């Protein structure tokens, strides 16, 4: 049979590899900066765009979508062409994919430090960027599917199954979770509220981990591990079971992020059940990966590429054992909101995603440049430094998580909390934070060693942009299944049908969970005493979101004796109810408690206390690791979008009247004036305030009255939290239904 000559597009692979390394260093550096901020909270004092709350989503987006995202594209573009014996379908789409993705990353790097965020974890980017993500992702999928349709290899290898499932699932997740109502060019509100928003967000959030950080990397594992080991995949049958069971079960597990919250019990139980089942397909993949190396263990000892891959697969196995375990309610009651979760996430991120990416880079670059790796010794040094970094990062965070959980729940014989002051816990775990920073430093040093080694390798090679290849054209065969052909073997040569089946598999779990929350009227019982936020409180809530306060503070008191006693300072002993969040677009339950829960903070402290706390947290709360927010005290509150925000809320079902909207400015001025008067009761405040006023007048500058500053709006919001519901027992809710 006559063979055809064609060229693999190596240029696009190299572009994504360079982007992977560049953004990887950026993302890790931001993460390391954040780690040191726990010991030095005023490290970036006075610089709003470098505050912890704004940098934290920048770090997560940089490592997930910039570092890991570019690594996915690099690995897929490299392996897909060779598995299909075909150049990518469209060079134009490849370039659009690359430059579009880089522009999205730059847009995130600009908007997030500026406080332009939706606050939804891993989905913080505002609506214009969301649209851009969808367009670029569809271009990537179209290019992949077009390449599959013009392939020269009849059957689709297992890696491609995972690539296809990744494409369709991420598209569905992103579009559904990103439904929002724009208020302006860079401001929107989630279409969902409270409990529904939490469910949709963690259906997305958990499965972003599943289908952006896991399934594409499993596809890469199935390609690069056999290539690096020069061994076939251990079990073809296991790969089939692994693929279909994983994509079907994974999509159901999102609610395990919301255990003991206001989410209905049936949804929580469903999440727990499928999370426990998830260990089987996850470990099936790990076993298939590790046993692929059978007979190649001597090579593992000498090959840095395989060392990285072995630790990566092992890290995947550890994280996917721990995930189902954390979904058990008795374990989750200890781990959730603590640093245990930080450790769990970073075992997956640093070991699974990071090390598999490093191994892939070390393997690809010499082949792309027709040379050998410049230094195996440096690569081995990177491996051991990186491994030590992972251990020194994760182990202290596990210890910190246990310390936090048990201190939070400790009681005295008289029934009082042993550690009633939240800061006692913070002070206890500071040594663990130091060790984490050291571990992160080691990991970053390892990545820098990789950069140096790769630069030297590239310089020693040759730049092959288009790599010559040849293969026989695909011969037409019957579309029907032959007598001796297994069903899945037949399905592997029917890419459209395989993609449709994969889409159905991932849609079932999502529909079962989400449709009832959106369609059933009594999904969230109404509490008549819960009212919409005033215009000033709504503005304050937007500032709370802008500053990333939910990165450190939760707004969800779980039904535990320790939590209602610690956080419900009114002594009503009320945990959070689903009906309290019906006007929250988006929800702000949080996922980590670096500081105390704020759901019942309203009225606990005076306005002056909050003002001083923003000005200098350490003078108000000794030992606090909260940074100062002095720009809130100086900045004038932008009220220009107030009416537009209220109208958007009306469109989302919040019962503001036309009169409320018409009187919004007066309403804000009245409430702001009351807070200003409260602040003026403090002689120290009055003295400082008058001095600032005189200085402004002498300089001929406009003086912003305190009632019109951002800090007043934020105080108004905090003083509102938890004040709508004041009942003595669960039974009393009936009178407020």
């Amino acid at each position: 049979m006559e063979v055809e000559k064609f060229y693999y597009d190596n240029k696009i692979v190299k572009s994504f590899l360079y982007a992977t390394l560049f953004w990887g260093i950026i993302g890790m550096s931001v993460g390391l900066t954040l780690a040191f901020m726990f010991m030095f909270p005023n490290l970036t004092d006075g610089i709003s765009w470098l505050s912890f709350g704004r940098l934290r989503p920048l770090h997560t987006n940089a490592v997930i979508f910039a570092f890991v995202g570019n690594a996915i594209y690099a690995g897929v573009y490299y392996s897909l062409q060779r598995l299909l014996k075909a150049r990518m379908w469209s060079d134009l789409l490849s370039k659009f994919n690359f430059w579009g993705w880089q522009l999205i990353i730059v847009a995130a790097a600009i908007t997030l430090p500026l406080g332009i965020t939706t606050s939804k974890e891993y989905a913080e980017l505002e609506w214009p960027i969301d649209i851009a993500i969808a367009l670029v992702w569809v271009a990537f999928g179209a290019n992949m599917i077009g390449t599959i349709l013009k392939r020269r290899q009849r059957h689709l290898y297992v890696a491609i199954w995972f690539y296809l499932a990744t494409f369709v699932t991420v598209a569905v997740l992103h579009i559904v979770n990103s439904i929002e109502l724009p208020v302006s060019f860079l401001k929107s509100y989630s279409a969902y509220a409270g409990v529904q928003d939490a469910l949709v967000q963690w259906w997305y959030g958990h499965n972003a981990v599943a289908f952006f950080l896991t399934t594409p990397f499993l596809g890469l594992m199935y390609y690069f591990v056999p290539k690096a080991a020069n061994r076939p995949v251990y079990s073809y049958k296991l790969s089939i079971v692994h693929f279909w069971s994983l994509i079907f079960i994974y999509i159901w597990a999102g609610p395990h992020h919301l255990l003991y919250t206001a989410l209905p019990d049936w949804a929580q139980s469903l999440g727990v059940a499928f999370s426990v089942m998830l260990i089987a397909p996850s470990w099936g993949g790990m076993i298939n990966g590790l046993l692929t190396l059978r007979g190649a263990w001597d090579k593992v000892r000498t090959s840095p590429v395989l060392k990285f891959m072995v630790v990566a697969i092992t890290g995947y196995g550890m994280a996917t054992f721990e995930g189902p375990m954390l979904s058990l309610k008795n374990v989750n009651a200890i781990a959730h909101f603590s640093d245990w979760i930080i450790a769990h996430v970073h075992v997956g991120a640093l070991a699974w995603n990071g090390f598999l990416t490093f191994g892939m880079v070390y393997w690809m670059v010499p082949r792309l440049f027709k040379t050998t790796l410049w230094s195996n010794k440096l690569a081995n040094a990177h491996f051991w430094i990186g491994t030590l970094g992972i251990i020194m990062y994760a182990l202290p965070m596990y210890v910190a998580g246990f310390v936090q959980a048990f201190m939070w729940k400790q009681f005295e014989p008289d029934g009082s909390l042993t550690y009633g002051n939240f800061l006692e816990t913070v002070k206890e775990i500071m040594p663990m934070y130091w060790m984490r920073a050291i571990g992160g430093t080691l990991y970053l040093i390892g990545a820098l060693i990789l950069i140096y080694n790769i630069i030297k390798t590239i310089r020693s090679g040759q730049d092959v942009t288009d790599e010559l290849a040849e293969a026989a054209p695909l011969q037409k065969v019957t579309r029907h299944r032959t007598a001796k052909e297994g069903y899945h073997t037949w399905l592997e040569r029917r890419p459209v049908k395989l993609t449709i089946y994969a889409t159905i598999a991932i849609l079932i779990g999502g529909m079962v969970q989400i449709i009832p929350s959106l369609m059933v009227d009594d999904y969230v019982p109404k509490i008549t005493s819960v009212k919409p936020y005033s215009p000033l409180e709504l503005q304050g809530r937007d500032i709370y979101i802008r500053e990333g306060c939910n990165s450190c503070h939760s707004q969800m008191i779980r039904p535990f004796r320790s939590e209602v006693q610690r956080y419900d300072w009114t002594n009503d002993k009320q945990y959070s109810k689903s009906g309290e969040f019906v006007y929250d677009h988006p929800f702000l339950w949080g996922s980590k408690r670096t500081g105390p829960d704020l759901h019942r903070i309203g009225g606990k402290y005076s306005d002056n206390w909050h003002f001083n706390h923003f000005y200098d947290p350490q003078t108000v709360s000794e030992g606090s690791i909260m940074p100062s927010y002095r720009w809130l005290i100086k900045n004038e509150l932008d009220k220009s979008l107030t009416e537009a925000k209220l109208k958007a809320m009306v469109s989302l079902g919040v019962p503001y009247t036309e009169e409320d909207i018409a009187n919004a400015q007066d309403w804000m001025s009245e409430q702001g004036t009351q807070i200003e008067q409260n602040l003026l009761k403090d002689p120290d405040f009055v003295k400082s305030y008058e001095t600032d006023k005189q200085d402004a007048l002498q300089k001929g500058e406009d003086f912003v009255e305190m009632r019109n500053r951002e800090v007043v709006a934020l105080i108004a919001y905090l003083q509102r939290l938890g004040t709508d519901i004041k009942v003595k027992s669960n039974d009393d809710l009936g009178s407020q239904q």
Side-chain angles (χ1 to χ4, degrees):
M1 184 181 298
E2 186 177 350
V3 296
E4 298 176 342
K5 292 186 177 181
F6 58 96
Y7 292 90
Y8 293 134
D9 182 5
N10 284 349
K11 185 176 181 180
I12 188 64
V13 180
K14 294 174 184 177
S15 296
F16 277 117
L17 274 176
Y18 298 151
T20 299
L21 300 178
F22 174 77
W23 292 117
I25 296 300
I26 298 297
M28 293 174 202
S29 298
V30 175
L32 186 58
T33 302
L34 293 170
F36 277 103
M37 281 184 176
F38 281 80
M39 288 78 72
F40 307 102
N42 294 314
L43 186 64
T44 57
D45 193 24
I47 308 174
S48 60
W49 55 277
L50 289 179
S51 65
F52 182 92
R54 297 195 190 185
L55 287 183
R56 194 262 182 181
L58 178 65
H59 164 60
T60 56
N61 277 264
V63 294
I64 295 173
F65 299 110
F67 172 58
V68 174
N70 278 298
I72 291 169
Y73 290 131
V76 169
Y77 276 106
Y78 182 89
S79 62
L80 193 70
Q81 296 182 81
R82 287 153 180 82
L83 289 170
L84 298 175
K85 299 293 187 289
R87 187 183 181 90
M88 294 305 298
W89 178 55
S90 169
D91 286 1
L92 179 62
L93 283 180
S94 296
K95 292 175 183 176
F96 178 76
N97 185 183
F98 175 76
W99 288 111
W101 199 254
Q102 307 318 308
L103 286 174
I104 288 166
I105 294 167
V106 171
I110 294 171
T111 58
L112 291 173
L114 291 176
I116 300 169
T117 174
T118 67
S119 84
K120 299 178 73 169
E121 200 144 2
Y122 316 137
E124 292 93 348
L125 303 180
E126 269 293 356
W127 67 272
I129 308 175
D130 284 339
I131 293 173
I133 291 171
L135 292 174
V136 172
W137 190 254
V138 168
F140 163 64
N143 206 8
M144 178 168 61
I145 292 170
T147 308
I148 290 172
L149 295 178
K150 73 164 194 176
R151 68 195 186 279
R152 295 181 178 84
Q153 180 68 38
R154 184 172 310 286
H155 291 276
L156 301 185
Y157 180 66
V158 56
I160 301 174
W161 314 344
F162 283 96
Y163 299 160
L164 286 170
T166 296
F167 166 64
V168 296
T169 310
V170 169
V172 170
L173 293 169
H174 174 71
I175 291 169
V176 174
N177 189 51
S178 298
I179 297 176
E180 51 214 352
L181 184 63
V183 176
S184 66
F185 179 61
L186 291 173
K187 177 62 182 176
S188 66
Y189 289 120
S190 173
Y192 317 106
V195 173
Q196 289 100 334
D197 193 44
L199 179 60
V200 173
Q201 159 57 27
W202 280 112
W203 171 75
Y204 163 89
H206 176 80
N207 292 304
V209 173
F211 288 91
F212 199 84
L213 299 178
T214 302
T215 55
F217 269 72
L218 287 169
L220 298 175
M221 177 196 79
Y222 274 113
Y223 179 81
F224 286 101
V225 171
K227 281 287 186 182
N230 197 26
R231 305 283 299 177
V233 170
Y234 170 68
S235 172
Y236 166 71
K237 290 183 178 179
L238 182 56
S239 67
I240 295 174
V241 176
H242 174 211
F243 172 73
W244 290 105
S245 58
L246 188 80
I247 68 169
F248 176 74
I249 294 174
Y250 230 135
I251 207 79
W252 296 75
H256 77 223
H257 290 264
L258 301 170
L259 300 183
Y260 292 112
T261 67
L263 189 73
D265 286 341
W266 71 266
Q268 295 185 39
S269 299
L270 203 60
V272 170
F274 278 89
S275 297
V276 172
M277 286 191 282
L278 192 56
I279 192 171
S282 297
W283 272 45
M286 178 193 70
I287 291 168
N288 218 5
L290 288 177
L291 291 184
T292 297
L293 299 171
R294 72 199 190 286
W297 291 109
D298 287 340
K299 193 174 182 181
V300 172
R301 284 195 289 270
T302 58
S303 167
V305 170
L306 287 178
K307 285 190 180 77
F308 277 106
M309 291 181 175
V310 167
V311 172
I313 298 169
T314 305
Y316 170 69
M318 292 170 62
T320 53
F321 169 78
E322 190 179 13
M325 182 179 70
L326 286 169
S327 72
L328 299 173
K329 280 197 165 186
N330 56 344
V331 179
N332 189 274
I334 298 171
H336 194 51
F337 288 135
S338 78
D339 283 311
W340 181 345
I341 305 302
I342 306 301
H344 166 62
V345 168
H346 282 80
V347 166
L350 299 178
W352 170 234
N353 297 117
F355 266 35
L356 192 63
T357 296
F358 297 151
M360 188 173 71
V361 169
Y362 279 126
W363 190 87
M364 274 197 294
V365 168
R367 286 158 180 80
L368 287 170
F369 289 89
K370 306 302 178 185
T371 185
T372 57
L373 185 63
W374 185 70
S375 172
N376 276 322
K377 288 184 177 180
L378 275 182
N380 278 311
H382 174 199
F383 170 78
W384 289 112
I385 292 171
T387 301
L388 182 61
I390 295 171
I391 294 169
M392 289 195 67
Y393 186 110
L395 287 182
M397 288 296 95
Y398 282 118
V399 174
F402 279 101
V403 170
Q404 286 171 313
F406 290 124
M407 288 183 74
W408 291 343
K409 294 177 180 294
Q410 194 73 31
F411 282 91
E412 291 294 289
D414 64 358
S416 63
L417 288 165
T418 302
Y419 304 101
N421 188 337
F422 190 92
L423 280 172
E424 293 179 283
T425 309
V426 176
K427 293 175 182 177
E428 194 68 28
I429 60 177
M430 291 306 293
M432 292 72 148
Y433 285 154
W434 271 105
M435 291 183 69
R436 170 176 64 175
I438 294 170
T441 302
L442 289 172
Y443 196 86
L444 179 59
I445 290 172
L448 291 172
I449 291 173
L450 174 140
I451 297 287
Y452 178 76
N453 205 356
I454 291 303
I455 290 173
K456 299 293 282 187
T457 301
I458 291 171
R459 288 180 175 175
S460 69
Q462 51 186 305
D463 188 13
V464 181
T465 301
D466 296 300
E467 183 179 344
L468 180 63
E470 56 183 32
L474 191 63
Q475 298 296 310
K476 290 185 178 180
V477 297
T478 176
R479 294 167 58 88
H480 302 291
R481 181 181 166 195
T482 61
K484 295 183 179 180
E485 191 174 28
Y487 180 78
H488 206 276
T489 305
W490 169 79
L491 187 62
E492 288 164 29
R493 59 181 175 88
R494 305 297 304 279
V496 175
K497 191 177 289 290
L498 188 149
T499 303
I500 292 172
Y501 286 174
T503 304
I504 293 171
I506 64 99
L507 285 177
I508 294 173
M511 291 189 296
V512 170
Q513 290 177 354
I514 292 174
I515 289 178
S517 75
L518 301 179
M519 304 297 291
V520 179
D521 290 338
D522 60 353
Y523 189 86
V524 178
K526 300 296 187 294
I527 302 175
T528 56
S529 62
V530 175
K531 304 297 182 185
Y533 296 105
S534 72
L536 190 64
E537 291 159 1
L538 183 63
Q539 293 279 25
R541 191 174 198 271
D542 287 342
I543 293 171
Y544 184 95
I545 289 171
R546 184 191 74 191
E547 300 302 335
C549 300
N550 55 302
S551 294
C552 294
H553 295 282
S554 58
Q555 288 185 28
M556 174 53 60
I557 301 174
R558 297 177 294 177
F560 302 146
R561 175 190 169 203
S562 59
E563 294 211 2
V564 295
Q565 186 152 332
R566 180 183 299 277
Y567 299 122
D568 188 9
W569 67 276
T570 64
N571 292 320
D572 283 337
K573 300 297 181 288
Q574 285 300 309
Y575 54 86
S576 301
K577 308 297 190 300
S578 59
E580 297 182 77
F581 305 100
V582 292
Y583 303 129
D584 287 7
H585 297 267
F587 85 111
L588 293 174
W589 295 357
S591 56
K592 168 74 169 67
R593 283 180 182 151
T594 304
D597 187 275
L598 300 181
H599 191 216
R600 298 273 188 259
I601 196 71
K604 181 176 183 180
Y605 301 109
S606 68
D607 293 346
N608 293 93
W609 186 94
H610 285 292
F611 182 93
N612 293 327
H613 195 238
F614 289 126
Y615 185 81
D616 191 350
Q618 284 75 38
T619 59
V620 175
S621 303
E622 186 181 354
S624 172
I625 59 174
M626 175 179 165
S628 66
Y629 287 84
R630 297 182 183 181
W631 58 88
L632 298 177
I633 297 170
K634 296 179 180 178
N635 290 352
E636 182 176 3
L637 177 64
D638 182 2
K639 300 180 180 180
S640 61
L641 291 176
T642 303
E643 288 81 3
K645 290 179 178 180
L646 295 177
K647 289 176 182 177
M649 285 294 179
V650 170
S651 299
L652 296 172
V654 180
Y656 291 114
T657 66
E658 292 184 6
E659 184 180 3
D660 291 336
I661 297 172
N663 296 328
Q665 297 293 334
D666 292 337
W667 193 355
M668 281 195 294
S669 181
E670 181 182 346
Q671 190 174 7
T673 299
Q674 181 59 58
I675 295 174
E676 181 184 69
Q677 291 174 352
N678 292 338
L679 294 175
L680 289 170
K681 294 175 183 178
D682 181 356
D684 292 333
F685 172 81
V686 173
K687 183 178 179 180
S688 175
Y689 186 54
E690 289 299 327
T691 300
D692 290 344
K693 188 173 184 177
Q694 291 302 320
D695 289 344
L697 292 174
Q698 289 176 5
K699 294 176 181 177
E701 299 174 349
D702 292 332
F703 180 73
V704 180
E705 298 290 345
M706 185 56 62
R707 68 178 74 96
N708 294 322
R709 299 191 190 184
E710 288 184 336
V711 68
V712 169
L714 186 51
I715 289 172
Y717 171 64
L718 293 174
Q719 295 290 33
R720 171 65 183 277
L721 289 177
T723 60
D724 281 347
I725 175 172
K726 297 295 180 186
V727 293
K728 296 300 181 185
S729 69
N730 234 7
D731 297 335
D732 293 335
L733 278 175
S735 62
Q736 302 190 48
Q737 298 290 321

